[in-house]
Amino acid sequence: MAKADDDGFDPNAFLAKVGLGKEILKFKKTQHVFKQGDVADTVFYLQKGSVKLTVLSEQGKEAIVGILEPGQFFGEGCLNGHPLRIATTTAMEECVITSITKEAMIAALHAEPKFSELFIAYLLKRNSRVEEDLIDQLFNSSEKRLARLLLLLAHFGKEGVPQPILLDISQETLAEMIGTTRSRVSYFMNKFRKLGLISYNGKIEVHNSMLNAVLHEKPEIKRDDSTEKI
C-alpha cells in the first residue's frame, strides 16, 4: 500500500473517505455497479468484496471478461473520453466501493503525485494482465487456461502451502472466463484433483504443484487443439 507523502497526503485514506466528488457506496451480492451502455462519468475503487465484469454482444451473448478484487480501480475509461460504459459490473458478494467523479479524479491526479503513482501502477499492472490474457487465449489449451486462471485467483500461493480461492466461483463462471464449456471445466477440475494439483475443502485450494505443472509444461497440463468454445 502507498504511504503518505511529506505533505501528509495518504492515497489510501483519500480513497477510503468521503470528500468533494467522492462517495462511499455499498452494494449487495448480484447488484450492478453500472451497466453496459450507461453514461460514463465516474471512476470506482474497490475497497472490499469482488466485482465481475461482463460484456454483452449485439447477438445477446454474454461473456465474463474479468473479476476485480480489493485495491483495483474500474470505470476509468471515462478519463479517456469513453462516453458510455463498455461493460457491466456486478457485485459477486457484499462490496464497499469508492465512487469518484471524473472531475475529482482528474483534479487528484494533477494535484497529488502519490495518488498519480498509485493509479499509474494500477494501469501498468492491468495492461500487463490484458496482454497475458490475450496470449493465453491465442496459444494455450482450455486446460492450461483454466490452470492459469486458478493460479491467478489463488494469487499463485507460497512454496508448499495450499492457497484457497476465497471467492465463491462457479464452474459456469470459470468456463465463461476461459472460453469453454462447463462440462470441460468439470472434467479438468476432477483431473486436477486426482493429480493432486488442487484440493477441495469447502473452498478450492491450489497447490504449488499446479504452478510447477504450468511453468514447466508438465504432461498433465498439455496443449489440446480439440478445445471446445461456448
Side-chain angles (χ1 to χ4, degrees):
M1 299 293 278
K3 296 180 180 179
D5 61 19
D6 294 337
D7 296 325
F9 179 80
D10 183 347
N12 300 304
F14 169 80
L15 290 164
K17 295 179 181 178
V18 174
L20 184 63
K22 288 190 299 159
E23 291 184 82
I24 307 300
L25 308 173
K26 293 184 179 181
F27 292 86
K28 296 180 180 179
K29 185 177 181 179
T30 73
Q31 188 176 357
H32 295 306
V33 181
F34 57 74
K35 294 183 180 180
Q36 187 172 335
D38 286 351
V39 174
D41 57 5
T42 309
V43 179
F44 297 92
Y45 176 79
L46 184 56
Q47 291 191 41
K48 179 183 177 183
S50 55
V51 170
K52 69 176 178 180
L53 277 68
T54 57
V55 174
L56 188 67
S57 72
E58 293 181 358
Q59 293 73 35
K61 182 179 178 181
E62 186 177 76
I64 297 173
V65 295
I67 292 179
L68 303 173
E69 297 179 325
Q72 292 185 289
F73 292 89
F74 59 103
E76 71 277 4
C78 67
L79 301 176
N80 195 35
H82 289 174
L84 302 175
R85 302 295 187 190
I86 60 174
T88 295
T89 50
T90 309
M92 300 183 72
E93 55 190 331
E94 288 191 359
C95 294
V96 177
I97 297 173
T98 303
S99 166
I100 313 169
T101 64
K102 177 180 177 180
E103 292 76 16
M105 188 73 178
I106 292 173
L109 291 171
H110 281 299
E112 304 295 351
K114 287 294 182 182
F115 183 64
S116 296
E117 287 176 16
L118 179 72
F119 187 63
I120 290 171
Y122 155 75
L123 291 178
L124 291 173
K125 185 176 180 181
R126 193 200 62 177
N127 231 29
S128 296
R129 173 68 187 274
V130 169
E131 290 176 357
E132 291 166 1
D133 286 348
L134 179 59
I135 292 169
D136 194 37
Q137 287 289 337
L138 289 173
F139 298 112
N140 289 329
S141 67
S142 54
E143 181 177 8
K144 189 168 181 179
R145 293 199 302 273
L146 176 60
R148 175 176 175 268
L149 177 59
L150 292 173
L151 286 166
L152 288 170
L153 291 172
H155 303 288
F156 291 95
K158 298 179 181 179
E159 186 72 29
V161 180
Q163 294 297 301
I165 295 175
L166 300 178
L167 185 63
D168 186 13
I169 190 165
S170 68
Q171 290 188 355
E172 287 83 359
T173 297
L174 292 172
E176 284 188 45
M177 292 185 72
I178 65 169
T180 190
T181 61
R182 192 208 63 78
S183 61
R184 291 286 280 175
V185 167
S186 178
Y187 170 77
F188 292 140
M189 293 292 279
N190 286 329
K191 178 179 177 180
F192 292 163
R193 183 158 49 181
K194 289 177 182 177
L195 290 169
L197 304 179
I198 65 172
S199 56
Y200 189 80
N201 295 302
K203 297 286 184 182
I204 300 170
E205 290 186 342
V206 181
H207 296 265
N208 195 60
S209 51
M210 174 76 87
L211 180 59
N212 292 332
V214 171
L215 289 179
H216 301 298
E217 296 284 353
K218 296 291 182 65
E220 56 262 32
I221 306 291
K222 59 186 179 181
R223 181 166 183 83
D224 176 4
D225 292 326
S226 65
T227 53
E228 298 178 54
K229 298 288 183 181
I230 315 180

